[in-house]
Amino acid sequence: MLSIERCNEILIKNNYKLTNTEIKQVREILYLFAEIQINAEKQLIEDEERNTIL
């Protein structure tokens, strides 16, 4: 997990200024999106493998 400090560095480079609480919230949402994406891609691979077998 990225530290709050690292997240803040990235945000500052892109002209965003957020409080630590806001950074934590954004970071949590981004990690949730990443988890959803990973699970969706795993499911696609499993579905493709199942269709290939049939």
Side-chain angles (χ1 to χ4, degrees):
M1 182 173 280
L2 290 173
S3 69
I4 296 300
E5 293 78 19
R6 180 66 181 128
C7 291
N8 195 34
E9 290 172 10
I10 294 168
L11 289 166
I12 288 171
K13 282 183 184 179
N14 290 284
N15 299 318
Y16 290 98
K17 180 62 180 154
L18 303 175
T19 66
N20 283 350
T21 301
E22 291 169 328
I23 292 171
K24 287 177 186 177
Q25 291 171 340
V26 170
R27 182 182 65 177
E28 179 68 22
I29 290 169
L30 291 173
Y31 274 101
L32 289 172
F33 285 152
E35 185 176 346
I36 291 168
Q37 181 68 36
I38 290 167
N39 289 335
E41 289 181 19
K42 284 181 183 177
Q43 188 64 49
L44 282 173
I45 290 169
E46 289 174 8
D47 291 347
E48 287 176 2
E49 288 173 351
R50 257 188 251 120
N51 289 336
T52 303
I53 294 171
L54 298 176

